[in-house]
Amino acid sequence: MQDNRRVTLVDDMQWRGLIQDSTDPDELRKHLDGGSITFYVGFDPTAPSLHVGNLMQVVTARRLQLAGHKPLLLVGGATGQIGDPSGKASERVLNSSEVTAGWVRRIRDQLAPFVTYEGDNAAELVNNLDWTGELSVIDFLRDVGKHFPVNKMLARDVVRNRLESGISYTEFSYQLLQANDFYELHVRHGCRVQFGGSDQWGNITAGVDFVRRRGAGPVQAFTTPLVLKADGTKFGKSESGATWLDPEMTSPYAFYQFWVNADDRDVSHYLRYFSFKSREEIEELEKATAERPQARLAQRELAFEITALVHGEEEANQAVAASQALFGRGSLADLSADTLRAALSEAGMVSVRGELPPVTALLQQAGLVKSGGEARRTIAEGGAYVNNERITDPEAVVPESALLQGRFLVLRKGKRTFAGIERV
């Protein structure tokens, strides 16, 4: 018999594995599966850009808004100056208020494309410095600190784990500031739900309890799971460092490649967490991965979707075109200078001044061969390419007209090993 029950938002989120903890599952379902409510999620400006580790929260906020709820995207101009001790083995280095303010502006701009600021459930960007900055120490201790039993604060994992190595009063007080954010957003905007990563559970429940102690509410909260890769390493980290959302820090091409290179063991989770494809579409991609993993269909579908969401469809198309063209399956001439530079920088690119030397020398300078003899053998065996054209003459000199965008060459050895030359 066919099941005709309506799949609700909470049903879909549970299938995707997006709800790890919740204050009251039944009440949370009433909030999220009922009429439109206002929710919030926060981002501290601890760097000049968000990274892919933040995407879980950003994409979940988008998912809730598409279901009819109103997002409050909080950037912590106040909490960012304090530092959340969650997940840290030692005290954070505090940034100046000027640096933090600059990062707040950058992150607010990055969040803008993920939600819509029009309609009945239009998103709003908020900054907790607006209400925290005007609090005096006396007011903070009387109105906020009075409601926090120290024994409960000490019992929280994030504090208990740091007691031996040491935790400052500044970081110890962080949970009070975050809790007060929930109260202020509840009073000012009618916010009824907060969510965040599972490492924030202690701070989040402190906020729920604080709203109750102030005689407001009721409010609810949930957490999303922390994302770890199958090999145990941290999601979003690679040998080159974090994968950032800022295109100046991680190029759209490198961003696309991060998703294309996802482990087959991880891509199913990533699809459920980050994609807006339907359950049927995702299950088809999971099946394709199991049957033909070498095709990397799921990875390529996810990479395009997320790159288009973060950087726009044009950049996503350029990333796809570059991935194909670099391996001889498309036109290199169609790639922009920025995409070429980003892709070749990822592979390894060297600069050449003045006239271009013979191809054998270029292959050596690019690091594709170790010697002139190896370069000649590679050419003789038909395995050397410049701009996807096979080279047959070891003494050949690449003409100026072959330079892509007037300055780049793509050198390839065999089918998959390539490097770049930039004439400066």
Side-chain angles (χ1 to χ4, degrees):
M1 179 180 294
Q2 184 177 359
D3 188 350
N4 293 318
R5 291 178 300 175
R6 181 175 69 92
V7 176
T8 68
L9 171 62
V10 173
D11 291 335
D12 182 64
M13 292 178 68
Q14 288 177 333
W15 175 77
R16 292 173 182 273
L18 290 174
I19 301 177
Q20 177 159 324
D21 305 294
S22 62
T23 45
D24 185 324
D26 292 335
E27 286 299 315
L28 181 66
R29 181 177 286 275
K30 289 178 184 178
H31 280 61
L32 296 183
D33 287 343
S36 178
I37 56 99
T38 299
F39 68 91
Y40 105 87
V41 59
F43 305 89
D44 270 351
T46 56
S49 171
L50 298 176
H51 52 78
V52 293
N54 300 118
L55 270 181
M56 175 72 93
Q57 315 313 328
V58 178
V59 168
T60 300
R62 179 181 175 87
R63 203 178 299 281
L64 294 181
Q65 187 180 36
L66 289 173
H69 302 302
K70 177 182 175 64
L72 298 174
L73 304 180
L74 182 147
V75 183
T79 46
Q81 295 185 54
I82 299 303
D84 181 4
S86 299
K88 299 296 178 183
S90 60
E91 199 84 6
R92 290 177 182 269
V93 176
L94 298 182
N95 296 303
S96 69
S97 57
E98 293 77 16
V99 167
T100 302
W103 291 354
V104 165
R105 290 190 293 270
R106 289 172 62 109
I107 291 173
R108 283 166 66 102
D109 290 343
Q110 283 184 351
L111 290 170
F114 291 94
V115 293
T116 179
Y117 297 89
E118 300 176 350
D120 293 338
N121 64 331
E124 290 186 52
L125 291 166
V126 294
N127 184 343
N128 57 19
L129 188 61
D130 291 344
W131 53 84
T132 308
E134 61 190 26
L135 267 179
S136 71
V137 174
I138 297 299
D139 289 339
F140 179 73
L141 292 175
R142 285 177 59 89
D143 297 338
V144 181
K146 182 68 175 176
H147 298 279
F148 283 81
V150 171
N151 60 319
K152 280 194 173 183
M153 295 176 69
L154 290 171
R156 298 195 188 283
D157 289 343
V158 65
V159 174
R160 190 171 64 248
N161 295 340
R162 285 276 297 279
L163 286 178
E164 189 170 324
S165 61
I167 183 170
S168 70
Y169 180 75
T170 299
E171 289 196 355
F172 181 62
S173 302
Y174 183 93
Q175 60 184 281
L176 279 70
L177 295 176
Q178 183 169 329
N180 190 50
D181 289 344
F182 200 177
Y183 174 76
E184 291 289 344
L185 291 175
H186 179 71
V187 171
R188 294 167 183 248
H189 298 275
C191 180
R192 294 167 61 192
V193 171
Q194 177 189 179
F195 77 90
S198 59
D199 60 336
Q200 290 289 306
W201 183 237
N203 293 336
I204 289 172
T205 53
V208 172
D209 190 48
F210 178 61
V211 173
R212 178 186 61 79
R213 287 172 178 268
R214 291 292 297 267
V219 294
Q220 298 297 322
F222 70 93
T223 64
T224 57
L226 292 182
V227 186
L228 293 175
K229 294 193 284 190
D231 62 7
T233 58
K234 194 170 183 179
F235 172 72
K237 296 288 186 179
S238 66
E239 292 180 2
S240 58
T243 301
W244 303 97
L245 304 195
D246 187 325
E248 299 299 319
M249 298 173 69
T250 297
S251 71
Y253 174 81
F255 185 85
Y256 175 85
Q257 289 299 318
F258 168 82
W259 300 99
V260 166
N261 293 325
D263 193 306
D264 290 338
R265 296 170 294 175
D266 294 321
V267 71
S268 175
H269 296 299
Y270 296 172
L271 280 166
R272 295 179 186 222
Y273 293 159
F274 304 113
S275 175
F276 290 87
K277 296 181 185 300
S278 68
R279 177 170 180 170
E280 292 73 22
E281 291 173 306
I282 289 173
E283 288 176 341
E284 280 297 314
L285 288 170
E286 291 172 341
K287 182 180 178 183
T289 298
E291 294 176 349
R292 295 184 298 117
Q294 69 280 3
R296 305 191 74 75
L297 180 61
Q299 284 91 335
R300 288 189 284 112
E301 289 278 344
L302 179 64
F304 183 85
E305 181 181 358
I306 299 299
T307 304
L309 179 63
V310 174
H311 296 295
E313 194 164 320
E314 182 177 347
E315 289 289 0
N317 284 325
Q318 279 279 303
V320 172
S323 297
Q324 295 173 343
L326 289 171
F327 297 106
R329 298 190 299 274
S331 172
L332 289 166
D334 294 336
L335 303 181
S336 70
D338 287 343
T339 300
L340 271 169
R341 181 178 291 105
L344 295 177
S345 296
E346 287 292 306
M349 183 165 64
V350 296
S351 298
V352 173
R353 294 183 180 277
E355 294 185 3
L356 293 172
V359 172
T360 49
L362 288 176
L363 290 170
Q364 290 180 75
Q365 290 180 36
L368 294 179
V369 296
K370 294 180 179 179
S371 66
E374 185 182 351
R376 290 184 176 85
R377 286 194 301 275
T378 301
I379 292 171
E381 293 167 358
Y385 300 81
V386 175
N387 294 350
N388 291 333
E389 296 292 333
R390 179 177 282 130
I391 300 301
T392 57
D393 180 4
E395 304 305 323
V397 176
V398 180
E400 296 279 327
S401 59
L403 288 166
L404 301 166
Q405 299 292 340
R407 62 191 311 170
F408 300 105
L409 292 175
V410 177
L411 306 184
R412 180 157 51 90
K413 178 185 177 183
K415 291 183 178 181
R416 301 197 62 81
T417 307
F418 69 92
I421 296 289
E422 182 178 16
R423 213 275 297 277
V424 297

